[in-house]
Amino acid sequence: AQSVTQPDIHITVSEGASLELRCNYSYGATPYLFWYVQSPGQGLQLLLKYFSGDTLVQGIKGFEAEFKRSQSSFNLRKPSVHWSDAAEYFCAVGPYSSNTGKLIFGQGTTLQVKP
Amino acid sequence: DTEVTQTPKHLVMGMTNKKSLKCEQHMGHRAMYWYKQKAKKPPELMFVYSYEKLSINESVPSRFSPECPNSSLLNLHLHALQPEDSALYLCASSQGEGLQGQKAFFGQGTRLTVV
């Protein structure tokens, strides 16, 4: 079955500290992988995506993610967190070879930033 | 213009009411989507329109009726909803069908409350 697991429901970090949000996926084929961020009451904003090539992907707002096929993981990282990064983060996977619009989302990780 | 605009931002409706949610984009995107997001949950795909034709209906109850009058507009007509339909309804668009192959843009959502 296709699924995305974000093991951490809630994470709290201090401002300026580094951040890593975990994402594991189960997929029968080569996937497309995404990270989205959602501020309270807002829509989703794409942070970054991985299709192929370099397994370290750079995104907006200083975020990066690394695709590790052997571990079925696509963890999101940021070297220094800002208070404005507090939000809900969703990892998502989509089919590589199909043109469906369906993304499978993880349950999300809530990031809280301490001053 | 890189925005997806959804109106209204908030909607409260009774179970016997008929209302519509609207979504508009002027990026020339040819695929548009409706997602439903319950509180503290990830978004779930409802419908996909590609070139103004319905291409995916994720077994959504008939009390939700999508409409794509032209390439820039997407409506979601609501009738005889239930309280459990209360959620954030997100519209998204992408250049072609398949969120996984495109950079998708999400609207801010309509917060729907059914009383």
Side-chain angles (χ1 to χ4, degrees), chain B residues 50-68:
Chain B
S50 179
Y51 290 85
E52 298 148 57
K53 290 190 178 357
L54 183 65
S55 64
I56 292 179
N57 177 340
E58 288 290 325
S59 303
V60 179
S62 60
R63 57 186 183 268
F64 295 91
S65 175
E67 178 197 20
C68 189

Side-chain angles (χ1 to χ4, degrees), chain B residues 14-59:
Chain B
M15 289 187 284
T16 57
N17 291 158
K18 286 185 180 181
K19 296 286 185 183
S20 297
L21 309 185
K22 297 186 183 302
C23 175
E24 189 169 3
Q25 57 87 16
H26 296 286
M27 294 177 278
H29 288 176
R30 302 314 301 265
M32 296 184 76
Y33 313 79
W34 281 115
Y35 277 83
K36 174 183 178 180
Q37 186 178 23
K38 301 282 280 182
K40 303 295 185 185
K41 297 292 186 183
E44 295 177 342
L45 183 67
M46 300 174 73
F47 303 104
V48 179
Y49 271 83
S50 179
Y51 290 85
E52 298 148 57
K53 290 190 178 357
L54 183 65
S55 64
I56 292 179
N57 177 340
E58 288 290 325
S59 303

Side-chain angles (χ1 to χ4, degrees), chain A residues 80-92:
Chain A
S80 179
V81 168
H82 188 262
W83 64 267
S84 61
D85 294 324
E88 188 81 13
Y89 291 79
F90 291 100
C91 180

Side-chain angles (χ1 to χ4, degrees), chain A residues 42-97:
Chain A
Q42 302 295 309
L44 298 172
Q45 183 180 26
L46 180 66
L47 286 176
L48 47 78
K49 57 187 178 183
Y50 173 77
F51 295 154
S52 64
D54 192 347
T55 56
L56 185 62
V57 180
Q58 301 298 319
I60 63 171
K61 303 184 180 187
F63 285 93
E64 67 178 25
E66 186 171 13
F67 172 59
K68 293 185 177 180
R69 185 184 301 275
S70 61
Q71 298 176 19
S72 297
S73 69
F74 188 56
N75 294 346
L76 182 72
R77 300 193 294 250
K78 186 170 184 177
S80 179
V81 168
H82 188 262
W83 64 267
S84 61
D85 294 324
E88 188 81 13
Y89 291 79
F90 291 100
C91 180
V93 62
Y96 183 90
S97 58

Side-chain angles (χ1 to χ4, degrees), chain A residues 32 34 36 38 41-46 49 51 88 90 94-96 98-103 105-108 110, chain B residues 33 35 37 40-43 45 48 56 58 88 90 97-109 111:
Chain A
Y32 281 124
F34 305 81
Y36 282 90
Q38 185 177 34
Q42 302 295 309
L44 298 172
Q45 183 180 26
L46 180 66
K49 57 187 178 183
F51 295 154
E88 188 81 13
F90 291 100
Y96 183 90
S98 168
N99 273 332
T100 65
K102 185 171 185 175
L103 285 179
F105 286 88
Q107 291 299 304
T110 302
Chain B
Y33 313 79
Y35 277 83
Q37 186 178 23
K40 303 295 185 185
K41 297 292 186 183
L45 183 67
V48 179
I56 292 179
E58 288 290 325
L88 181 69
L90 293 165
E97 186 174 356
L99 281 176
Q100 67 278 13
Q102 324 287 337
K103 180 175 181 179
F105 291 82
F106 279 82
Q108 299 298 296
R111 176 74 60 188

